[in-house]
Structure formats: structure tokens, C-alpha cells
């Protein structure tokens, strides 16, 4: 198992710091702009729903991505993706709101995966800023 790295302390928006994307792996400097972009979109989501957002998984090194069984071309390795939970919101409702914000041009088009589970608290949503539409259910 890989060990955790020192986190980056860089406030990007009112509510998000780069460190929130660094559960295990530090975002490489060359990917910081990607990470800032996805956090900017998450700030728009947070402002729209008025609820806190927990990032469960953000940047992953290729080694970490392989360790957790991530897709071979995962956007997490590019610093473009976050798996999130929104307080007291069902993942399907979170995805619906993200779709609305994308349609309104407020959030960047990208990947959107819904991972519903037995309870709202267990489910999550994957959002990434790859620039092209991709949708799936996990």
C-alpha cells in the first residue's frame, strides 16, 4: 500500500482548497490548473445547492489509481475529477443539478457518473472536466 503524501495548502475558491483533492497523493504542479478548474465547478455546485460537498477522491497518482482499480485512462490521474457527496442529497439529485448547471453554461461539460447505494449517505457522484460529455451509472 502506498503512503500518504504531504498536502498542498492552496485555497482555490471560497470553500475549496487543493488539499481536498489530495486524500493520498499530492497534485503535481503541472496538473494544478486542472485541479483548480474542477474545484471552481464544485464551488458553483455548492453555491447552487447551498450544501457542503465532501470530496471522497480527487487526484490519484497512476500507482494509486491502479491500486484502487480505477479506469486505465481515469480523469483522476489528470487532476480533472472528483468523487463527491453532497450533504443530505441523493446522488441522482446531485447529478440532475450538475446537468442543469452544465446546460446553463455554469459548470464545464465533462464526465458524470452516478453511484447510488443503499442509503443517500453511502452513494456518490463522479464529476470531471474532460470537456466532452460522458455519462454512466456505477
Amino acid at each position: 500500500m502506498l503512503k500518504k503524501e504531504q498536502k498542498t495548502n492552496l485555497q482555490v475558491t471560497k470553500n475549496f482548497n487543493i488539499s481536498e483533492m489530495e486524500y493520498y497523493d499530492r497534485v503535481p504542479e503541472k496538473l494544478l490548473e486542472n485541479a483548480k478548474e474542477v474545484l471552481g465547478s464544485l464551488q458553483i455546485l455548492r453555491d447552487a445547492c447551498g450544501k457542503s460537498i465532501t470530496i471522497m477522491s480527487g487526484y490519484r497518482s497512476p500507482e494509486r489509481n491502479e491500486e484502487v482499480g480505477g479506469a486505465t485512462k481515469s480523469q483522476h490521474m489528470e487532476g480533472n475529477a472528483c468523487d463527491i457527496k453532497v450533504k443530505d442529497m441523493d446522488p441522482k439529485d446531485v447529478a440532475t443539478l450538475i446537468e442543469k448547471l452544465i446546460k446553463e453554461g455554469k459548470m464545464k461539460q465533462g464526465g458524470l457518473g452516478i453511484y447510488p447505494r443503499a442509503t443517500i449517505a453511502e452513494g456518490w457522484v463522479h464529476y470531471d472536466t474532460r470537456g466532452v460529455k460522458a455519462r454512466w451509472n456505477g
Side-chain angles (χ1 to χ4, degrees):
M1 176 172 280
L2 299 170
K3 66 179 187 172
K4 287 188 177 188
E5 294 182 11
Q6 174 87 23
K7 292 186 177 190
T8 305
N9 183 17
L10 177 62
Q11 196 69 30
V12 176
T13 71
K14 179 174 67 176
N15 298 104
F16 293 103
N17 190 299
I18 287 289
S19 65
E20 293 176 76
M21 291 197 60
E22 300 177 327
Y23 185 74
Y24 283 102
D25 302 310
R26 190 175 185 139
V27 177
E29 190 169 331
K30 68 180 182 178
L31 299 178
L32 279 176
E33 290 308 311
N34 294 353
K36 289 177 184 179
E37 182 175 50
V38 75
L39 291 176
S41 285
L42 292 183
Q43 184 66 55
I44 291 164
L45 175 62
R46 188 184 193 288
D47 292 345
C49 69
K51 297 175 183 277
S52 64
I53 296 174
T54 301
I55 298 172
M56 302 165 33
S57 181
Y59 172 73
R60 293 185 204 142
S61 67
E63 297 81 13
R64 179 89 48 211
N65 192 64
E66 184 176 346
E67 184 178 280
V68 301
T72 56
K73 295 187 179 186
S74 173
Q75 292 295 307
H76 288 277
M77 295 187 295
E78 300 300 322
N80 289 336
C82 288
D83 294 338
I84 61 171
K85 290 184 180 193
V86 178
K87 185 174 176 60
D88 300 325
M89 280 186 77
D90 184 278
K92 292 175 188 172
D93 295 333
V94 173
T96 298
L97 179 55
I98 291 172
E99 289 281 20
K100 176 181 178 282
L101 293 167
I102 289 171
K103 186 177 179 181
E104 292 173 354
K106 295 177 181 175
M107 286 180 75
K108 186 172 180 178
Q109 183 63 264
L112 186 57
I114 305 169
Y115 293 83
R117 296 298 185 254
T119 68
I120 290 173
E122 295 172 338
W124 74 91
V125 171
H126 168 99
Y127 170 71
D128 67 59
T129 54
R130 69 181 71 186
V132 296
K133 186 175 182 176
R135 301 292 182 266
W136 66 91
N137 289 307

